């Protein structure tokens, strides 16, 4: 079946612009996660959605970052007023439920000039 | 705060060798532990998940063990092949995973 998909695969933007990254999880998966992978920091958790519960936003690095999940399916990660330190690969994952295997998408490579 | 360490950082072996990758974590109160592989420019592929109540999991040539009391996990790869070349990551947690920095494996033909 279809895996986790993310779009765009690459995004180049100018400092100060807003960007939106999209994630389509595996159908039927109730949990959705966003992570960031950068050279200096490795893989870091950003935010977690589980069903209709309030998301766990404890990993978001600043209030410029936000995410939503509409209809319990597609999720959008928004970064406002992008900074050069936001340059990284943003990975989305989904799982059947909490504690189950997380399946990752191919990522979106964000470059902020 | 949970911290995950992977040793070695890089490993180069000839084809056919058996090898062990190590992962250690500071907080033994984990929900589960996952091993992933990442190919250059790609996302992560899940290899094995070990629940906190389990001691090991096996899939084909891969075997992962978990010792919560000592805060350690090992990934054993039997009869390594060039196609096994990748970065191997371990991660602990139930929802928000905490990742190690990875072991870069190169299997030479």
């Amino acid at each position: 079946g279809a895996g986790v998909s993310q779009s765009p695969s690459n995004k180049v933007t100018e400092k100060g612009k807003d960007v939106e990254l999209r994630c389509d999880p595996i159908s039927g998966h109730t949990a959705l996660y966003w992570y960031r992978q950068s050279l200096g920091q490795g893989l870091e958790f950003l935010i977690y959605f589980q069903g209709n519960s309030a998301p766990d936003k404890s990993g978001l690095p600043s209030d410029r970052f936000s995410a939503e999940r509409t209809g319990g399916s597609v999720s959008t990660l928004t970064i406002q007023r992008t900074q050069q330190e936001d340059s990284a690969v943003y990975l989305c994952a989904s799982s059947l439920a909490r504690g189950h295997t997380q399946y990752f998408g191919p990522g979106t490579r964000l470059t902020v000039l | 705060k949970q911290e995950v360490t992977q040793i070695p950082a890089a490993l180069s072996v000839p084809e056919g060798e058996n090898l062990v990758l190590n992962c250690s974590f500071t907080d033994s109160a984990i929900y589960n532990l996952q091993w992933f592989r990442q190919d250059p420019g790609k996302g992560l592929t899940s290899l094995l998940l070990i629940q906190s109540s389990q001691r090991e999991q096996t899939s084909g040539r891969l075997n992962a063990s978990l010792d919560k009391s000592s805060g350690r996990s090992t990934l054993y790869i039997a009869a390594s092949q060039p196609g096994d070349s990748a970065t191997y990551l371990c991660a602990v947690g139930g929802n928000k995973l905490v990742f190690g920095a990875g072991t870069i494996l190169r299997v030479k033909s």
Side-chain angles (χ1 to χ4, degrees), chain B residues 85-100:
Chain B
S85 298
T87 297
Y88 289 80
L89 296 155
C90 76
V92 299
N95 45 31
K96 42 189 177 184
L97 296 178
V98 178
F99 284 84

Side-chain angles (χ1 to χ4, degrees), chain B:
Chain B
K1 178 186 170 186
Q2 178 75 269
E3 293 183 359
V4 180
T5 304
Q6 291 187 245
I7 294 173
L11 183 62
S12 181
V13 300
E15 181 177 6
E17 266 201 16
N18 302 323
L19 56 99
V20 173
L21 307 182
N22 297 290
C23 172
S24 61
F25 45 93
T26 54
D27 184 350
S28 62
I30 64 170
Y31 194 89
N32 61 37
L33 184 145
Q34 283 190 244
W35 282 94
F36 296 88
R37 68 174 278 168
Q38 185 172 32
D39 294 280
K42 303 287 180 64
L44 278 64
T45 301
S46 178
L47 298 173
L48 290 164
L49 180 148
I50 311 178
Q51 302 281 0
S52 62
S53 59
Q54 297 175 321
R55 298 299 296 268
E56 65 177 343
Q57 281 286 341
T58 298
S59 176
R61 294 182 294 107
L62 306 180
N63 175 276
S65 67
L66 174 64
D67 183 346
K68 280 179 53 179
S69 61
S70 66
R72 293 182 182 179
S73 175
T74 60
L75 179 66
Y76 176 83
I77 302 176
S80 58
Q81 303 171 358
D84 295 331
S85 298
T87 297
Y88 289 80
L89 296 155
C90 76
V92 299
N95 45 31
K96 42 189 177 184
L97 296 178
V98 178
F99 284 84
T103 294
I104 302 171
L105 172 64
R106 180 186 171 211
V107 181
K108 299 172 288 186
S109 56

